[in-house]
């Protein structure tokens, strides 16, 4: 089995146009695939030329995102997250 | 809307993943000509570099939840397309203002006002 | 939706939107004005706008159904589609535009479902404009938290042994689900199989029709 690279989504709550959903902030998942680079939408939205950033498809378990109330803990959510929102981290203890 | 008595925590209204909500609605409508025109203007102006899809989204987000509940999809889109085109300097508010008044003077229906 | 008029139905059985015969709204007035100004300034032309509308009208779930049916019948194409959805679709004549298409495949063990929680990103260049429910607060809010309840509302009940994979279209990717090929279709042509592929099955809120339903 391929070693998973785990990423934690930064928990920041800035104002303005951001493409990192709030429900994933502070959550840890693993890299499903790497994409990009794509221009940063946080800059494009305000008429600036976006810095090109790697984007990762990160996979989260429902248990990680919703905790004990998860509908089915082992179901997953994938989302595309721009690199400046991600920090490499250790696997969560639960898995 | 989620019932949240706490002070604003930074999660914006459009960022709705995980919010409680009712059943998924099953109503469906066909798009009218004016809606298709709004869609076309967005695609054409963004593909020509006058604004970006993120610029479109940014204005839709800043319009707030009330607009989401009270205006339909393409009403919100034309409002955002307009805001982006004015910001980009494609035309001025005065030009738009005068043209809108001319348009309304042509007749009471969309067909008459758009000249067919 | 305060502007719906349910008193007349179009040939497809859906209500018409207020249009030529209805009182001009403020936002329609704005659309006409913007369109005329853009044409006068040479940003676009009436012909270009009409061509764009025609191009959008020509896109429909039938395009996606053709892609799926080919993936079911042509293993090399299936591999290409999973490796690069945009390129594989373009090779069939479906130009996906600037966004990247990712195809995700259902199996007996995995069911994929697509949502955009932040707005309403949709593979419009392949499937046409999204259905209204896809843009609704309820679908956008609930699909990432309780996908199985949402699926049940669409009439899809999955066994516990099938893992649900939700895909939130948050950036530059667009998604299409390759539904599971229905049983009892051995030897079917791609053209016949395409008739079993529904729009909802490519979003993940439905399954492909079975031959029995189709008959």
């Amino acid at each position: 089995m391929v070693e998973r690279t785990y990423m934690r989504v930064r928990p920041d709550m800035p104002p303005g146009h951001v493409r990192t959903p709030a429900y994933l902030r502070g959550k840890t998942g693993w890299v499903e695939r790497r994409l990009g680079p794509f221009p940063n939408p946080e800059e494009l939205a305000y008429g600036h030329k976006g810095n090109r950033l790697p984007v990762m498809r990160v996979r989260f378990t429902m248990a990680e995102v919703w905790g004990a109330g998860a509908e089915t803990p082992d179901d997953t959510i994938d989302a595309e997250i721009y690199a400046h929102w991600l920090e490499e981290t250790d696997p969560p203890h639960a898995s | 809307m989620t019932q949240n008595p706490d002070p604003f925590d930074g999660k914006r209204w459009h960022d709705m993943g995980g919010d409680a909500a009712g059943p998924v609605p099953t109503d469906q409508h066909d798009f009218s000509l004016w809606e298709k025109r709004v869609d076309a203007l967005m695609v054409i102006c963004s593909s020509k570099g006058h604004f970006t899809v993120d610029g479109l989204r940014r204005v839709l987000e800043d319009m707030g939840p009330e607009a989401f509940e009270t205006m339909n999809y393409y009403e919100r889109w034309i409002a955002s397309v307009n805001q982006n085109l004015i910001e980009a300097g494609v035309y001025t508010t005065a030009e738009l203002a005068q043209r809108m008044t001319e348009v309304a003077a042509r007749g009471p229906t969309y067909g008459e006002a758009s000249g067919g | 939706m305060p502007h719906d008029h349910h008193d007349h139905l179009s040939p497809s059985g859906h209500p018409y939107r207020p249009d030529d015969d209805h009182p001009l709204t403020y936002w329609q007035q704005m659309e006409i004005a913007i369109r005329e100004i853009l044409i006068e300034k040479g940003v676009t032309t009436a012909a270009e706008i009409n061509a764009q509308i025609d191009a959008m009208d020509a896109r429909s779930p039938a395009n996606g159904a053709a892609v799926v049916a080919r993936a079911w019948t042509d293993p090399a194409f299936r591999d290409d589609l999973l490796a690069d959805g945009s390129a594989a679709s373009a090779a069939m004549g479906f130009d996906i535009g600037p966004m990247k298409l990712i195809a995700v495949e259902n199996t007996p063990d995995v069911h994929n479902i697509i949502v955009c929680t932040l707005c309403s990103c949709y593979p419009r260049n392949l499937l046409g404009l999204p259905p209204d429910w896809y843009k609704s607060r309820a679908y956008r809010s609930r699909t990432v938290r309780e996908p199985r309840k949402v699926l049940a509302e669409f009439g899809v009940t999955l066994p516990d042994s099938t893992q649900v994979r939700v895909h939130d279209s948050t950036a530059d990717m667009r998604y299409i689900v390759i539904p599971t090929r229905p049983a009892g279709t051995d030897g079917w042509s791609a053209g016949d199989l395409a008739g079993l592929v529904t729009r909802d099955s490519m979003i993940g809120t439905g399954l492909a029709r079975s031959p029995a339903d189709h008959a």
Side-chain angles (χ1 to χ4, degrees):
Chain A
M1 179 167 161
V2 182
E3 188 92 348
R4 286 176 177 171
T5 302
Y6 283 86
M7 294 281 175
R8 179 171 180 263
V9 182
R10 291 186 54 87
D12 312 341
M13 295 296 268
H17 178 73
V18 165
R19 295 298 293 181
T20 304
Y23 73 89
L24 294 175
R25 298 186 202 165
K27 307 299 183 187
T28 295
W30 64 95
V31 177
E32 189 270 340
R33 73 181 84 174
R34 293 167 193 267
L35 303 162
F38 292 105
N40 185 351
E42 296 167 17
E43 296 161 21
L44 290 179
Y46 298 93
H48 303 295
K49 191 167 162 11
N51 235 338
R52 291 174 78 80
L53 296 169
V55 173
M56 295 181 208
R57 295 194 80 238
V58 183
R59 181 164 293 170
F60 305 84
T61 63
M62 291 283 176
E64 166 69 8
V65 176
W66 306 117
E71 184 186 55
T72 302
D74 293 337
D75 287 347
T76 61
I77 303 171
D78 291 8
E80 304 142 38
I81 312 285
Y82 291 83
H84 64 300
W85 275 90
L86 295 172
E87 292 168 338
E88 195 163 338
T89 185
D90 295 330
H93 294 297
S95 62
Chain B
M1 305 288 287
T2 47
Q3 309 288 311
N4 186 2
D6 299 327
F8 182 58
D9 65 357
K11 182 171 109 54
R12 303 185 68 204
W13 73 271
H14 70 278
D15 188 353
M16 50 182 79
D19 288 356
V24 178
T26 55
D27 300 356
Q28 180 64 32
H29 80 280
D30 287 343
F31 295 104
S32 65
L33 178 59
W34 97 272
E35 292 178 301
K36 291 179 180 185
R37 282 172 166 161
V38 174
D39 197 273
L41 291 176
M42 194 289 284
V43 171
I44 289 168
C45 291
S46 61
S47 72
K48 293 186 179 191
H50 296 291
F51 58 85
T52 62
V53 172
D54 285 292
L56 181 87
R57 292 172 179 149
R58 183 250 311 167
V59 172
L60 292 169
E61 291 160 10
D62 290 351
M63 286 164 66
E66 192 184 319
F68 186 79
E69 303 298 348
T70 60
M71 295 165 67
N72 71 37
Y73 191 75
Y74 283 106
E75 289 173 344
R76 284 178 273 128
W77 268 40
I78 194 64
S80 178
V81 165
N82 175 59
Q83 175 79 22
N84 274 275
L85 289 172
I86 286 178
E87 289 177 5
V90 175
Y91 55 78
T92 65
T93 299
E95 288 174 297
L96 179 73
Q98 290 166 23
R99 181 58 58 104
M100 284 180 69
T101 298
E102 285 172 36
V103 166
R106 292 175 194 157
T109 66
Y110 182 77
E112 291 163 285
S114 63
Chain C
M1 304 287 260
H3 302 285
D4 277 340
H5 290 253
H6 292 274
D7 46 345
H8 300 294
L9 295 182
S10 73
S12 63
H14 300 135
Y16 278 117
R17 300 294 295 186
D19 205 346
D20 279 23
D21 298 334
H22 293 261
L24 182 70
T25 68
Y26 181 82
W27 306 107
Q28 290 172 337
Q29 188 185 341
M30 183 182 285
E31 177 272 314
I32 297 166
I34 292 171
R35 175 160 44 89
E36 291 180 357
I37 292 171
L38 292 175
I39 290 169
E40 282 177 13
K41 288 184 180 286
V43 172
T44 186
T45 63
E48 187 175 44
I49 295 166
N50 290 338
Q52 173 58 34
I53 291 173
D54 289 346
M56 204 64 232
D57 280 347
R59 296 178 179 121
S60 81
N63 296 3
V67 171
V68 168
R70 173 129 181 236
W72 282 346
T73 53
D74 178 347
F77 179 80
R78 168 195 168 272
D79 294 346
D80 290 348
L81 183 63
L82 290 172
D84 185 338
S86 305
S89 300
M92 286 187 70
F94 304 123
D95 179 14
I96 303 305
M99 297 298 170
K100 299 284 180 213
L101 186 73
I102 291 182
V104 291
E105 186 178 45
N106 286 354
T107 68
D109 299 326
V110 174
H111 181 90
N112 296 279
I113 178 170
I114 313 305
V115 65
C116 172
T117 61
L118 295 173
C119 47
S120 46
C121 300
Y122 185 81
R124 62 190 345 248
N125 285 0
L126 185 63
L127 303 185
L129 296 173
D132 289 346
W133 58 258
Y134 188 84
K135 303 184 281 190
S136 70
R137 174 181 288 280
Y139 187 76
R140 288 170 51 186
S141 298
R142 293 174 51 216
T143 302
V144 290
R145 189 193 276 270
E146 44 185 26
R148 289 172 190 263
K149 287 202 184 77
V150 170
L151 283 165
E153 289 175 26
F154 284 87
V156 176
T157 306
L158 299 169
D160 291 345
S161 58
T162 298
Q163 185 190 47
V164 174
R165 260 182 214 163
V166 182
H167 302 269
D168 191 352
S169 310
T170 46
D172 293 284
M173 304 296 126
R174 298 293 176 270
Y175 295 89
I176 179 178
V177 176
I178 307 173
T180 311
R181 178 170 172 167
T185 58
D186 289 354
W188 282 42
S189 70
D192 287 342
L193 285 167
L196 302 177
V197 183
T198 62
R199 177 195 64 202
D200 288 6
S201 74
M202 294 182 279
I203 303 305
T205 53
L207 307 175
R209 288 195 199 102
S210 78
D213 300 337
H214 191 54

